[in-house]
Amino acid sequence: MTVAVVNMGIEEQARAHQDNLTKPRGALGRLEDVACWFAARQGKKLPDRLNPHIAVFAGDHGVCEEGVSAFPSVVTGEMVKNFARGGAAINVLARQCGASLSVVDVGVISDLSGVDGVQQRKVRSGTANLLSGAAMTRDECAAAVAVGREEAKAAIAAGANLLIAGDMGIGNTTASACIICRLAGAAPEAVVGFGTGVDDAGRSLKVDVVARALQRIAEQANDLVLQEVGGLEIAAMAGFYLQAAESGVPVVIDGFIASAAALAARQIEPLACDWMLASHISHENGHALALRALGLSALIDFEMRLGEGSGAALVVPLLQSAIALHKEMATFESAGISGEVEA
Amino acid sequence: MTVAVVNMGIEEQARAHQDNLTKPRGALGRLEDVACWFAARQGKKLPDRLNPHIAVFAGDHGVCEEGVSAFPSVVTGEMVKNFARGGAAINVLARQCGASLSVVDVGVISDLSGVDGVQQRKVRSGTANLLSGAAMTRDECAAAVAVGREEAKAAIAAGANLLIAGDMGIGNTTASACIICRLAGAAPEAVVGFGTGVDDAGRSLKVDVVARALQRIAEQANDLVLQEVGGLEIAAMAGFYLQAAESGVPVVIDGFIASAAALAARQIEPLACDWMLASHISHENGHALALRALGLSALIDFEMRLGEGSGAALVVPLLQSAIALHKEMATFESAGISGEVEA
């Protein structure tokens, strides 16, 4: 694949434009950086308003049989139905930020074939237990990645210029912790968190499961991490990010699961990170560490740990404001305002 | 004055409601706190969508003759004209968050009497130099506070249920630093920043000016701090906050100047802080310290240092999202989702 090239010349032009706006230089802080980041990626000194699309990928996890989650696997399918009816957090946040939303079953155990509003792209009904063997085969993993790629392509074709991937999958903090530990080079104790709400004993169990899974794949290449200990929805998210980078469309990375998928995408194509913007620092342990490994810096810390793309959707209005300020503010010249004097 | 009472019973009901929404408990982090904060203050378990009003108060500062700012005082009036034409950052952000905006001349040196869209409430043409004597008289300070109160009353009467005060005043980081040092008990070195962009020598000069002003008022009561070393726009902002608390309408505190005004309001009425929500941590030195003194915790850190109410306006969509999630998400029961199991 070929990742689209970021236009650094346009970024410089955007910076120069920022310095002419009616404010002290740099006074808008990270909003200035965000506006210039989009300018460089849209290839326009004055970037277009964002037209976001959110794709939520859902899949189940065989590792749940180890008791790693506070909720049973059946909740994955129930939550997908909740997405389809518009009652979940991501539905509300999509409405708030004017994003279109698609819900993709890439591997839920429950049969969702009759559910309106859910794309039927099931690769298999849940992964195998990553503790005892590969979570999926090479072909299944590739098929899930392809689902994510196709979803990104379709959204871009429909006019989206900002992409967000969300996740739903009971057990997926365990799979994500395995990926983050391995691809960011970190210990389970530093990465494993409380997920949907296990207690201290539940977390200790998760740490042990992750440690043993990592031991199982210790001799395998990094390229196999996604299929060995990943998830179908995580693979789809990685594909989504890869396609976005190839098509030259920015993505906003959500929390813990999304960052695991981003690391998996980076493993396939290191330059994919050029098109990623981090939204928030999840309250889930190890997320900050994953972002550092990706070279990304989160915009906000709201102590969220929901997934679904919620943190990424939440920050979209901040991104819109950054672009609107960049485009709509008067310049010192146009406003007839006296320039800076020597202090 | 009598500050409106926050309804903690409703806050508990709102918390219980949050725990029934289709997400793990606490997974929306600070968004849950924000929704419950508004519930308690609106007295409604499901609070209304926010209808924000932003009032920008402008005034000049006699202390500018000490060379404390990178910009000349004439820029205050020029920026007010920019606000009136819609070209400043706060205009863009007001449009982004659907806020109404008023611009109030409470003490600009320039004559703005012919400028459409600017409220003519000039108490005096700039303060006196706070280094050599009182910035304003007791009556002038009271008059400026009254302007802010009236502005809040008018906005509430027009239907606003969220108030933001913004500032414009070349030299006002110096006045604000004096207030913060004195009312938060901090040293000038820890509080004085670079304002609109002075260099290191300029900042050293500011530190010295603030230290000498504090020395001048060392024997005076805290109640006199606002008139001695404050500003007309800062006094108006304090009045705005006081009226909001008395009327039981929440305010979002912006950055460094706004926090100085909030400290001044707290000096007049300690319970006023019950109605304050902090928006961002300004990049200006000492702001974090001022927020701690107010007992407030900022939502975001975007390294902004603009004023005008910009940081407060920026976070409004996050507050709207918090409330929308609280009101629109399905409950476990309504969505037919399996409850939490023992981990």
Side-chain angles (χ1 to χ4, degrees), chain A residues 339-343, chain B residues 69-72:
Chain A
E340 215 158 330
V341 297
E342 295 308 311
Chain B
S69 178
F71 287 86

Side-chain angles (χ1 to χ4, degrees), chain A residues 23-24 57 85 97 171 204 252 262 265 276 300:
Chain A
K23 58 176 175 56
F57 299 97
R85 278 192 302 263
C97 75
S204 293
V252 186
M276 296 176 183
I300 66 170

Side-chain angles (χ1 to χ4, degrees), chain A residues 78-91:
Chain A
E78 290 171 347
M79 279 299 296
V80 170
K81 290 177 189 166
N82 195 23
F83 298 148
R85 278 192 302 263
I90 194 59
N91 299 103

Side-chain angles (χ1 to χ4, degrees), chain A residues 281-299:
Chain A
I281 299 178
S282 165
H283 203 51
E284 185 74 1
N285 294 22
H287 185 221
L289 185 151
L291 288 179
R292 274 197 301 279
L294 287 163
L296 302 178
S297 173
L299 289 170

